[in-house]
Amino acid sequence: MDTKYISSLIRPNILSLQAYSSARSEFKSESEIFLDANENPYSSAFNRYPDPTQKALKAKIAKWRNLNVDQLFLGNGSDEIIDLIIRIFCKPGQDNIVTFNPTYGMYKVCAGINDVNVRCFDLEEGFGFRVQGLIDFLMPNDKVLFICSPNNPTGNSIRLEDIVTIGRNFHGIIVVDEAYIDFSEQQSCTVLLDDMPQLIVLQTLSKAVGCAGLRIGIAWMHTDLVKIFNKVKPPYNISNIGQDMAIDKLNDLSKINREIQDIKAQRSFLADQLSKCQSIIKVYPSDGNFLLLKCHDAKKIYHYLISNGIVVRDRSSQNRCDNALRITVGTPTQNQKLIDVLTKYNPENIT
Ligand SMILES: *Cc1c(COP(=O)(O)O)cnc(C)c1O
């Protein structure tokens, strides 16, 4: 599969699009007097537009992941990148995306906004699936397949060899959303990029790195695809402050890694404690910073927890998730409080 083939997957209007040329992308070298972008010359810290190419932050992220900066695209959260993917590849009213069910909800919402049809592939009991079953399910106008691994809300991962097999049998774009990869023992799919030009790997600074408020989403893809995404994104999609603060955060990798280790240790502790709670039937194994629980009456427990000041996520409406709650791993104190509250839970006393 070559990149010419990948070009044929891009909507023709996007391929022929002339990118908006921003003031800051036209003039790159150092200068003292900027009269090119109609900014307010007086104010201080953020009167200037941000770097549209996010050069410094990209260099930092590429070094952190030990990957090529030319394969890197940044979005205003990975949610923006999901929207861009759908707009770049899917013709409204004509093409489909394929997602697993259950999975992260934004793929469907972004497709809906863009009038792109969603075809859901139901996961089996335990949230696995047969690779051949998925391959048989795929159709010619399926343009993008979204694979969330580790999957939200189920916590399980898809094996890299399965991604490779799917790639050999699917003509469209494969997006692997690795928002939770840093909590997983499994290797990142970025190792497959050189052999799979149709692969886009999403990551984010929102979960393990602890910068959800900054809105920095990461996508690794073929360099030719990065150029297309750069044409389509809003020029100044990541703020000055977002870029600067993210660099600050990534300057202390040992702190980030320590937090990841602590969260993983707390995940085991929580799983162990929760599985001893009477009201909980099952705790699913998780490669993320959350646990999915099966309980007798999710709604009741949800409201009981709220009345004790603890908010979790009720995922009961999703496929194979009846009476399922998703609980994010918190600090040791928060987790202990959760266990204490749940241990005291008595369904008889709740109305
Ligand atoms: C949280 C989450 C995201 C959102 O990431 P942002 O970078 O904050 O937009 C993307 N994908 C999955 C699977 C998530 O759970």
Side-chain angles (χ1 to χ4, degrees):
M1 190 174 285
D2 62 7
T3 54
K4 214 179 251 146
Y5 176 75
I6 301 304
S7 301
S8 76
L9 295 171
I10 299 167
R11 286 168 67 198
N13 62 309
I14 300 291
L15 263 185
S16 61
L17 183 75
Q18 183 75 44
Y20 172 76
S21 186
S22 68
R24 286 303 126 79
S25 59
E26 275 180 16
F27 187 84
K28 290 202 183 81
S29 49
E30 294 296 312
S31 190
E32 278 170 32
I33 306 178
F34 285 104
L35 303 176
D36 58 344
N38 299 349
E39 295 146 333
N40 179 332
Y42 295 113
S43 320
S44 51
F46 26 83
N47 63 318
R48 296 298 175 188
Y49 276 105
D51 172 10
T53 64
Q54 301 124 6
K55 204 158 182 278
L57 176 56
K58 276 187 170 176
K60 196 91 206 165
I61 290 174
K63 186 154 179 261
W64 169 47
R65 292 303 201 195
N66 198 18
L67 290 165
N68 185 347
V69 76
D70 298 331
Q71 291 177 298
L72 175 57
F73 176 80
L74 299 181
N76 192 260
S78 24
D79 287 346
E80 185 189 42
I81 308 179
I82 293 166
D83 180 69
L84 287 171
I85 290 170
I86 291 172
R87 285 196 283 147
I88 286 170
F89 296 107
C90 299
K91 293 197 189 95
Q94 195 171 321
D95 293 331
N96 310 317
I97 66 157
V98 174
T99 71
F100 291 143
N101 187 17
T103 195
Y104 183 54
M106 277 305 284
Y107 315 131
K108 192 174 181 174
V109 171
C110 287
I113 290 167
N114 291 296
D115 191 21
V116 166
N117 187 40
V118 182
R119 297 206 315 120
C120 291
F121 183 74
D122 287 337
L123 295 176
E124 294 166 5
E125 187 72 43
F127 308 117
F129 68 99
R130 280 187 322 114
V131 175
Q132 191 56 47
L134 174 65
I135 290 166
D136 295 342
F137 177 83
L138 294 167
M139 300 203 312
N141 55 344
D142 293 338
K143 271 293 185 64
V144 184
L145 167 65
F146 283 93
I147 299 175
C148 187
S149 179
N151 191 26
N152 176 4
T154 61
N156 59 316
S157 304
I158 315 295
R159 296 180 310 172
L160 265 61
E161 58 219 77
D162 290 343
I163 307 272
V164 172
T165 309
I166 295 164
R168 287 207 191 100
N169 292 278
F170 177 51
H171 63 281
I173 296 291
I174 299 176
V175 178
V176 180
D177 187 341
E178 294 188 344
Y180 301 98
I181 190 67
D182 296 288
F183 304 106
S184 169
E185 300 307 312
Q186 185 166 297
Q187 198 178 20
S188 166
C189 283
T190 49
V191 296
L192 304 176
L193 280 167
D194 289 343
D195 295 324
M196 293 180 68
Q198 77 276 50
L199 179 66
I200 298 175
V201 181
L202 296 182
Q203 296 174 350
T204 177
L205 297 191
S206 296
K207 307 287 159 59
V209 178
C211 295
L214 294 183
R215 312 305 303 127
I216 313 273
I218 297 169
W220 302 101
M221 60 181 91
H222 192 284
T223 47
D224 292 349
L225 275 182
V226 172
K227 290 181 190 133
I228 301 285
F229 277 70
N230 281 334
K231 283 204 301 187
V232 180
K233 82 176 178 78
Y236 305 116
N237 60 332
I238 302 178
S239 72
N240 272 326
I241 300 172
Q243 295 184 44
D244 292 348
M245 300 291 277
I247 290 170
D248 276 0
K249 186 82 191 185
L250 290 170
N251 275 333
D252 195 351
L253 288 179
S254 60
K255 179 163 184 282
I256 294 169
N257 291 330
R258 216 163 41 238
E259 286 173 0
I260 292 168
Q261 289 313 315
D262 290 349
I263 290 167
K264 279 165 46 176
Q266 281 294 305
R267 178 180 67 196
S268 312
F269 166 79
L270 256 189
D272 185 52
Q273 296 289 306
L274 288 169
S275 59
K276 290 176 186 154
C277 290
Q278 288 233 312
S279 51
I280 292 162
I281 301 167
K282 185 182 167 92
V283 181
Y284 290 95
S286 173
D287 296 337
N289 64 337
F290 54 85
L291 292 165
L292 190 73
L293 321 173
K294 198 107 176 161
C295 33
H296 288 294
D297 192 336
K299 243 195 193 85
K300 261 191 183 171
I301 297 180
Y302 175 82
H303 289 290
Y304 167 74
L305 288 174
I306 295 257
S307 68
N308 282 276
I310 299 172
V311 198
V312 300
R313 198 97 200 263
D314 188 350
R315 299 280 70 193
S316 300
S317 58
Q318 299 218 335
N319 177 45
R320 295 193 189 277
C321 287
D322 337 316
N323 282 312
L325 296 176
R326 191 195 67 194
I327 299 187
T328 306
V329 178
T331 64
T333 318
Q334 292 169 340
N335 299 332
Q336 190 56 57
K337 174 87 200 283
L338 171 76
I339 299 298
D340 293 346
V341 167
L342 273 178
T343 307
K344 284 191 208 114
Y345 174 72
N346 178 354
E348 253 63 308
N349 297 341
I350 312 286
T351 47

